[in-house]
């Protein structure tokens, strides 16, 4: 979809314009591509902080399919790269990223290893630590 292309390539301004010009439910925000990725997942995976910020602030969170998993079982939060974690932590209910049947502890530990969220907090990144 147009949102997949914009999100995957880091075009935050395009996403912002889409949010302003179209009904959000017509943009297929929660639709998964052939790899199981939603537009938000593509932004977090590529570390597109600005795109994640647009999803967080301009779109209805209920339409984003936050608990979706790609074909490898990863979620938008679980596969987040770089500073894209900051708007996720700041604007979203992190429990919404848990696939059905998972417990909140899995946001911190996955198979007894720290998740990206925990590593981001431990990294000392000021924005992440402040938000958490």
């Amino acid at each position: 979809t147009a949102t997949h292309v914009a999100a995957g390539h880091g075009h935050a301004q395009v996403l912002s314009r889409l949010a302003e010009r179209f009904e959000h439910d017509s943009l297929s925000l929660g639709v998964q591509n052939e790899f199981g990725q939603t537009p938000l997942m593509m932004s977090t995976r590529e570390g597109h902080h600005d795109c994640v910020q647009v999803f967080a602030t301009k779109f209805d969170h209920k339409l984003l399919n936050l608990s979706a998993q790609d074909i490898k079982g990863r979620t938008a939060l679980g596969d987040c790269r770089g500073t894209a974690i900051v708007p996720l932590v700041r604007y979203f209910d992190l429990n919404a990223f848990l696939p059905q049947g998972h417990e909140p502890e899995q946001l911190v530990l996955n198979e007894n290893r720290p998740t990206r969220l925990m590593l981001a907090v431990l990294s000392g990144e000021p924005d992440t630590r402040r938000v958490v």
Side-chain angles (χ1 to χ4, degrees):
T1 67
T3 52
H4 279 91
V5 174
H9 288 91
H11 299 302
Q13 288 182 325
V14 173
L15 288 173
S16 187
R17 293 256 172 133
L18 290 170
E20 294 166 4
R21 298 183 80 118
F22 295 96
E23 294 292 325
H24 295 176
D25 57 346
S26 72
L27 292 174
S28 305
L29 297 169
V31 170
Q32 293 172 271
N33 66 13
E34 66 271 18
F35 303 106
Q37 299 168 320
T38 65
L40 177 63
M41 292 168 80
M42 294 178 77
S43 289
T44 61
R45 178 158 176 43
E46 297 301 323
H48 298 310
H49 177 278
D50 293 341
C51 290
V52 176
Q53 180 102 10
V54 171
F55 282 117
T57 59
K58 297 199 177 216
F59 290 107
D60 181 349
H61 294 186
K62 291 179 256 168
L63 299 174
L64 295 176
N65 195 6
L66 298 177
S67 64
Q69 293 178 290
D70 68 10
I71 59 174
K72 294 185 178 180
R74 299 176 296 206
T75 64
L77 178 63
D79 202 31
C80 192
R81 310 249 168 132
T83 60
I85 192 90
V86 175
L88 285 182
V89 173
R90 181 176 290 151
Y91 296 106
F92 290 100
D93 171 8
L94 297 184
N95 288 316
F97 290 95
L98 287 170
Q100 194 165 354
H102 287 68
E103 298 297 322
E105 298 81 44
Q106 290 173 299
L107 289 172
V108 179
L109 292 177
N110 184 12
E111 298 175 9
N112 294 321
R113 295 190 328 257
T115 64
R116 291 184 193 275
L117 174 62
M118 181 55 77
L119 292 173
V121 172
L122 294 174
S123 74
E125 170 67 38
D127 285 339
T128 306
R129 293 185 73 143
R130 187 181 73 244
V131 170
V132 175

